[in-house]
Amino acid sequence: MLLDILQEIQDFSLENVKFYNLSLIDYRDFGKLFFRLLFNSGILYVLINLIYGKSGRREFTFTYYALGTAIFLMCFLLEDVKLELGFALGLFAVFGILKYRTDPIPIREMTYLFVVIGIAVLNALANKKVSVAELVLTNLAILFCVFLLEKFLIKSEGHIDIIYEKIENIKVENKSILLEDLEKRTGLKVKRFDFVKIDFLKDIALMRVYYDKTALPKTE
């Protein structure tokens, strides 16, 4: 009897412990989750802190980290439920856009939101058909692309919101007049502009004006 007890102690493993039909721990799956979560968190850190944060924007840092981590864990734990990568990416992207539609988000920040969702889904659902090298290269390619856009295409452009009262200038045929008036009033090299809101009752328009930062006079 004593030998049986010793044998049972020797064969004891936490993997065999069940709690409401769930294994207490699966070392293989736990290790897989740990290293993938660590990798995903590292990619998110580079994207959010070293690329997005370098431009001085911090407003959506919490959102990106929370959403990226939550979606990664959800997708990883649903991996056994035959969830195709394309379907999952579309599902969570649409969910994110609809969820945050209640509060206006600039297109640039919305793009970062989509990239965060895509990275989380990609890192969670990559299966044995995808090699580690392919997964790492894909993540690095996304980061490199966003970095180049931030550094060379977007960084030189700034924007300001103004209330414009010359409502007659918003007509399509008066675009050149409007552009000239904006540059004269702001002293900026205006590249383009968007109408956020037009109020014909008050004869005003809320505009977002994009200007060239490189054309600003340098200060000592």
Side-chain angles (χ1 to χ4, degrees):
M1 182 175 180
L2 180 59
L3 292 176
D4 293 338
I5 295 176
L6 291 176
Q7 185 65 36
E8 289 181 4
I9 295 176
Q10 185 177 1
D11 295 338
F12 175 78
S13 173
L14 290 176
E15 291 186 336
N16 298 325
V17 178
K18 299 289 184 178
F19 185 77
Y20 285 102
N21 206 30
L22 294 175
S23 298
L24 185 60
I25 188 172
D26 186 322
Y27 292 110
R28 183 179 178 182
D29 288 343
F30 181 79
K32 181 181 176 182
L33 171 61
F34 176 78
F35 286 108
R36 284 213 189 185
L37 179 61
L38 192 64
F39 176 74
N40 186 72
S41 299
I43 295 296
L44 290 180
Y45 175 81
V46 174
L47 176 68
I48 299 170
N49 283 71
L50 303 185
I51 299 179
Y52 171 76
K54 282 296 184 180
S55 60
R57 307 190 306 275
R58 299 283 181 179
E59 184 180 359
F60 296 96
T61 299
F62 170 81
T63 301
Y64 293 151
Y65 271 121
L67 195 64
T69 303
I71 288 181
F72 169 83
L73 293 174
M74 289 170 61
C75 287
F76 185 89
L77 295 178
L78 289 174
E79 184 179 9
D80 292 335
V81 182
K82 299 186 181 298
L83 194 64
E84 294 295 334
L85 180 61
F87 174 77
L89 181 61
L91 176 65
F92 285 112
V94 171
F95 169 77
I97 292 174
L98 292 178
K99 178 65 177 175
Y100 290 90
R101 188 62 180 169
T102 55
D103 190 24
I105 296 180
I107 297 297
R108 194 165 165 188
E109 271 64 27
M110 183 64 72
T111 304
Y112 269 101
L113 179 65
F114 179 80
V115 173
V116 167
I117 293 173
I119 287 175
V121 174
L122 176 67
N123 291 332
L125 295 183
N127 54 32
K128 60 183 179 181
K129 295 181 180 180
V130 180
S131 66
V132 175
E134 290 174 320
L135 186 62
V136 172
L137 178 61
T138 302
N139 279 273
L140 291 180
I142 294 174
L143 294 178
F144 186 66
C145 177
V146 176
F147 172 76
L148 288 181
L149 291 173
E150 276 284 358
K151 188 171 184 63
F152 297 107
L153 297 182
I154 307 298
K155 193 174 181 180
S156 62
E157 184 178 86
H159 72 267
I160 58 173
D161 294 329
I162 65 172
I163 298 176
Y164 192 74
E165 83 289 354
K166 292 185 177 181
I167 203 70
E168 66 277 3
N169 287 346
I170 70 171
K171 297 179 181 179
V172 177
E173 58 267 23
N174 292 335
K175 181 179 179 180
S176 58
I177 299 176
L178 174 58
L179 186 62
E180 182 181 353
D181 189 38
L182 290 174
E183 291 186 343
K184 182 179 179 181
R185 292 189 178 201
T186 61
L188 302 171
K189 181 61 178 178
V190 178
K191 299 174 65 176
R192 56 192 174 91
F193 53 84
D194 294 324
F195 291 104
V196 179
K197 182 180 179 181
I198 300 176
D199 191 336
F200 287 106
L201 293 178
K202 297 180 180 179
D203 283 343
I204 57 173
L206 177 60
M207 302 176 60
R208 173 157 293 181
V209 179
Y210 298 87
Y211 61 91
D212 187 359
K213 286 184 177 180
T214 60
L216 295 175
K218 294 182 179 181
T219 57
E220 298 293 338

